[in-house]
Amino acid sequence: MPYKLVDGVSFDVPEGGVLGIVGESGCGKSVTAMSLLRLNSPAIELTGGQILFGGEDLVRCSDERIRKVRGAEISMIFQEPMTSLNPVFTVGNQIVEALQAHENISEQAARKIAIDFLGHVGIPSPQTRFDNFPHQLSGGMRQRAMIAMALVCKPRLIIADEPTTALDVTIQAQILDLLRRLRAELGMAVIMITHNLGVIAEIADRVVVMYAGRVVERASVGALFDRPAHPYTEGLLASVPPLDRDVDRLPTIVGTVPSPQAMPTGCRFAGRCPYVQDACMRTDPALVSVGQDHAAACIRHTGYSA
Ligand SMILES: Nc1ncnc2c1ncn2[C@@H]1O[C@H](COP(=O)(O)OP(=O)(O)OP(=O)(O)O)[C@@H](O)[C@H]1O
Ligand code: SF4
Ligand SMILES: [Mg+2]
């Protein structure tokens, strides 16, 4: 029996902008991201909707076209670099191959660009590192090599799915800095996926909050932090560690995300919401405007009679 993993998710990313997608584990962030490039497992079907990239619908374009888009126009970086890096080839060769797959250039020219990019992403002695296998690099260096590979064709959009989660805090900050710098230099747009609103505050201009396969709030980063309009966002904000003091324990949102096979009727957050009313069990709240360029899906904004 088929069931929906994500549903009615809608957002846009302007050229050169950074959109954050945030939500707990299982909210549908990766399924959404993989759908953009039709990279989901075959068990997952795209049943409708549009993914417009510069006016072209990526849901309906040919397989050949989407293969060209991947890497050259839109590329992805993942939490685990070994998802993209092949352990049996040197990092340099993999970058050269990525370049040659999309551009008609000589091996020598590609090698030079690859070495430049390894330096660009902050890998010391790039000439030597070019000939290293992935296992010869530290975790942070591998992440940088993967970023170099993702950026070498100068894509217009980069989708980063939890790119810093597995790294320690210092390296996380360095990688975020790097992405910010490269974005400014190369003018690419970024979709940054994370479960951490702290990362969003660091890098994004706009943010989409996902819960149980839906968008529950959409806003500029400033508005989201100043005036969160959905109780789930409030809960996520309360669990961001403060930068200025140590805390033993942060509040967490009690309960878990409902599974896609057993979505409750009514508001999907009702089982965990501190403001829940009887009406929330009957009403599936629509995403409505709650301010300029700010929308949320909660009946506290649409009225309890909805
Ligand atoms: N191949 C699959 N087949 C069936 N269900 C899947 C598949 N991949 C993901 N799902 C389900 O889709 C839902 C959304 O998963 P998704 O991986 O997008 O979450 P996420 O927000 O990226 O979480 P995380 O923060 O853990 O990466 C989850 O309920 C997950 O179990
Ligand atoms: S609709 Fe009700 S349960 Fe859902 S978030 Fe709003 S107040 Fe909470
Ligand atoms: Mg994920």
Side-chain angles (χ1 to χ4, degrees):
M1 176 70 181
Y3 48 87
K4 286 184 175 172
L5 298 179
V6 295
D7 184 15
V9 172
S10 175
F11 53 79
D12 54 73
V13 193
E15 228 162 285
V18 182
L19 174 82
I21 301 183
V22 68
E24 291 162 293
S25 190
C27 282
K29 305 182 297 297
S30 294
V31 167
T32 301
M34 299 294 258
S35 303
L36 299 179
L37 282 175
R38 302 200 337 223
L39 282 173
N40 276 312
S41 86
I44 299 179
E45 195 186 342
L46 268 174
T47 54
Q50 284 186 316
I51 297 165
L52 296 177
F53 180 63
E56 179 181 11
D57 189 353
L58 301 184
V59 174
R60 282 163 196 88
C61 72
S62 66
D63 289 350
E64 191 192 346
R65 173 70 189 135
I66 195 84
R67 271 196 298 273
K68 283 214 172 103
V69 170
R70 291 179 197 144
E73 292 172 60
I74 304 179
S75 58
M76 281 195 86
I77 56 178
F78 299 92
Q79 176 178 345
E80 176 38 67
M82 295 315 280
T83 312
S84 311
L85 295 173
N86 189 327
V88 301
F89 295 106
T90 65
V91 291
N93 272 333
Q94 295 184 59
I95 299 174
V96 164
E97 201 167 289
L99 254 173
Q100 288 189 313
H102 296 288
E103 280 175 46
N104 188 14
I105 55 170
S106 70
E107 175 112 23
Q108 208 179 8
R111 185 186 165 92
K112 187 175 174 312
I113 295 173
I115 291 172
D116 277 357
F117 258 81
L118 287 172
H120 218 53
V121 297
I123 293 188
S125 323
Q127 210 124 13
T128 316
R129 293 301 188 182
F130 181 95
D131 292 314
N132 280 175
F133 289 91
H135 74 267
Q136 293 173 299
L137 304 180
S138 66
M141 288 294 156
R142 270 203 293 270
Q143 198 73 3
R144 284 168 193 265
M146 177 174 61
I147 293 173
M149 194 160 92
L151 296 186
V152 74
C153 294
K154 303 210 169 98
R156 285 161 66 199
L157 171 66
I158 180 144
I159 304 168
D161 193 352
E162 308 263 10
T164 60
T165 310
L167 303 169
D168 74 49
V169 229
T170 322
I171 311 285
Q172 271 190 35
Q174 286 174 7
I175 298 282
L176 285 181
D177 258 3
L178 168 68
L179 281 172
R180 237 192 326 250
R181 179 167 62 78
L182 292 172
R183 176 209 159 202
E185 281 173 26
L186 304 175
M188 64 197 180
V190 178
I191 297 180
M192 170 64 73
I193 296 172
T194 175
H195 58 260
N196 184 345
L197 271 171
V199 170
I200 298 285
E202 283 284 312
I203 199 163
D205 322 313
R206 296 188 47 75
V207 57
V208 160
V209 181
M210 285 192 70
Y211 185 73
R214 295 264 183 86
V215 173
V216 294
E217 186 159 0
R218 204 169 49 200
S220 68
V221 168
L224 192 96
F225 278 76
D226 287 350
R227 300 179 295 284
H230 196 282
Y232 180 58
T233 313
E234 278 181 27
L236 290 179
L237 281 168
S239 52
V240 178
L243 290 173
D244 54 352
R245 66 199 149 85
D246 274 344
V247 283
D248 283 346
R249 185 172 286 193
L250 290 163
T252 48
I253 309 167
V254 179
T256 50
V257 182
S259 98
Q261 292 104 311
M263 275 303 164
T265 51
C267 174
R268 295 179 175 192
F269 190 55
R272 308 172 72 188
C273 181
Y275 306 106
V276 64
Q277 308 273 328
D278 286 347
C280 304
M281 312 293 182
R282 300 188 296 272
T283 309
D284 186 3
L287 196 64
V288 294
S289 171
V290 296
Q292 199 192 354
D293 208 14
H294 189 169
C298 168
I299 62 169
R300 298 202 309 155
H301 300 289
T302 50
Y304 291 96
S305 59

